[in-house]
Amino acid sequence: LRVYYNSLGTPEMYAMIAARMGEGLELVTLDTDDDAERKAKIAECEVAIVAAKPLTAEVISAAKKLELVHHQGVGYHDTVATDALAARGIRLALTPEGTTIGVAEHTVLLALGAARRAAFADAELRQGRWHVNALRPVSVELFDKTVGFIGFGRIGQEAARRFAAFGTRRLYHDPAVPASADLPAEPAAFDDVIAQSDILSLHLPLSDATSHLISAEVIGRMKPEAILVNTARGGIVDDAALASALADGRLLAAGLDVFEGEPIDPDNPFCGLPNVFLTPHISAGTRDALGHKMTALFANIDRFRNG
Ligand code: NAD
């Protein structure tokens, strides 16, 4: 079987992937981030692996031999044209296992990085500017703060376990997750989580129902000087409204791994703000996670080809 990889990776990534492939599989990788090359390469492949880069209906239309699409993560709603797959009976498989811990740990990094203006401090220091007094009054601790989770599945729960170690109070809103003493947070209505959180963290999928869920109006109901953390998906937050609340000092800070329209440009409003900690959609992209995901993914592909 030929296995097509839809995102542009590095030679190290391809070597890690190839090391986990079973007998008789051939990895087909891209040399450019170009749809023409995508269509030419996928046309020869029976299996496609999807990472961050969306697999569009147009690319799928060129995939005449395609039988299985394997997402290397969980958030497939916006990365796979599922209608185009369903119309041709092509199966879609997910790899939820590997991403959870990496994103949960990154959520804590973004909260701390935003709370301490870590990216700004580091960038200034590299320019020879030692801003000790400017940073002290704007930095906050996590201890005794309320952390609110919108979406409380695998990642939200693992993140909450980690925030518990900081001595925080924790609330969640997720209609699918009933209260339980085993959970590391208390359930609450959406409006209460918004109004009570010092740190609001998003862990739900992007869909028509959740697009701009965190709107200007919702941001206006957050605590003054709250911190917003988004490792879920760009588009759940109205980025323009968020940037303006951060510029006004209405919110204290934000930690963002995902954006509306990725990649973002240096002239994006977030890039000019000292109270934003930014990463380029890497929260799930640890070496550990990639290893776990590829092991699970190729075990699945083996099950598929063995019927
Ligand atoms: P999950 O399916 O285990 O949990 C998602 C939860 O969101 C579910 O419990 C669901 O009931 C809840 N939910 C859906 N709509 C909601 C709404 N309107 N309000 C409140 N809750 C709602 O998924 P997960 O593994 O925890 O991943 C969460 C999200 O993180 C994914 O959807 C994905 O978009 C994102 N993610 C991002 C990265 C990254 O690289 N930044 C990596 C992996 C996952």
Side-chain angles (χ1 to χ4, degrees):
L1 290 187
R2 270 161 305 220
V3 181
Y4 159 87
Y5 196 75
N6 190 54
S7 284
L8 204 53
T10 61
E12 293 76 20
M13 275 178 65
Y14 297 145
M16 276 189 69
I17 294 169
R20 286 168 175 79
M21 290 173 62
E23 295 280 304
L25 297 181
E26 182 194 334
L27 187 65
V28 175
T29 61
L30 295 168
D31 299 317
T32 65
D33 197 15
D34 195 74
D35 266 5
E37 189 191 348
R38 283 200 164 77
K39 291 204 270 193
K41 292 219 164 133
I42 201 171
E44 300 303 316
C45 295
E46 291 83 9
V47 179
I49 300 177
V50 179
K53 194 79 187 179
L55 185 65
T56 61
E58 196 191 332
V59 171
I60 292 167
S61 73
K64 300 294 179 216
K65 298 182 177 169
L66 193 62
E67 295 170 39
L68 173 71
V69 172
H70 212 310
H71 197 299
Q72 118 182 5
V74 270
Y76 69 89
H77 297 88
D78 53 331
T79 40
V80 181
T82 46
D83 289 352
L85 295 187
R88 287 178 39 207
I90 300 168
R91 287 166 201 236
L92 173 66
L94 307 178
T95 319
E97 308 87 355
T99 45
T100 306
I101 302 298
V103 184
E105 289 189 3
H106 203 84
T107 303
V108 178
L109 170 74
L110 291 183
L112 280 170
R116 295 300 180 98
R117 299 205 178 189
F120 175 73
D122 178 285
E124 290 292 284
L125 197 51
R126 287 168 198 254
Q127 300 296 319
R129 292 189 286 268
W130 186 267
H131 277 321
V132 180
N133 287 337
L135 285 166
R136 270 185 192 136
V138 291
S139 288
V140 294
E141 297 168 5
L142 302 187
F143 179 68
D144 248 3
K145 301 295 192 298
T146 298
V147 188
F149 300 88
I150 305 293
F152 207 57
R154 286 173 294 252
I155 294 170
Q157 292 179 28
E158 285 299 332
R161 289 198 176 88
R162 285 153 181 78
F163 280 105
F166 287 88
T168 56
R169 171 181 177 241
R170 294 162 311 282
L171 296 175
Y172 76 86
H173 173 71
D174 188 327
V177 181
S180 153
D182 296 334
L183 288 175
E186 304 272 328
F190 176 81
D191 287 350
D192 292 332
V193 176
I194 296 299
Q196 293 181 31
S197 298
D198 298 294
I199 295 147
L200 182 69
S201 194
L202 307 177
H203 302 283
L204 69 169
L206 175 65
S207 66
D208 289 344
T210 65
S211 171
H212 280 202
L213 180 72
I214 307 301
S215 61
E217 186 271 324
V218 169
I219 291 169
R221 287 192 277 125
M222 288 172 69
K223 269 189 168 176
E225 305 224 321
I227 293 173
L228 182 73
V229 175
N230 189 6
T231 56
R233 276 289 183 274
I236 298 174
V237 178
D238 180 340
D239 276 1
L242 175 62
S244 104
L246 290 161
D248 292 350
R250 171 69 189 74
L251 295 184
L252 185 71
L256 305 173
D257 187 50
V258 290
F259 307 89
E260 272 188 297
E262 296 177 7
I264 60 168
D265 299 324
D267 58 5
N268 182 291
F270 291 131
C271 296
L273 294 171
N275 51 347
V276 188
F277 187 90
L278 304 171
T279 56
H281 203 143
I282 53 165
S283 65
T286 61
R287 185 193 302 184
D288 304 278
L290 186 64
H292 293 315
K293 285 187 287 193
M294 286 304 149
T295 302
L297 188 149
F298 284 112
N300 233 359
I301 291 176
D302 278 344
R303 276 195 288 276
F304 174 75
R305 64 173 169 169
N306 294 330

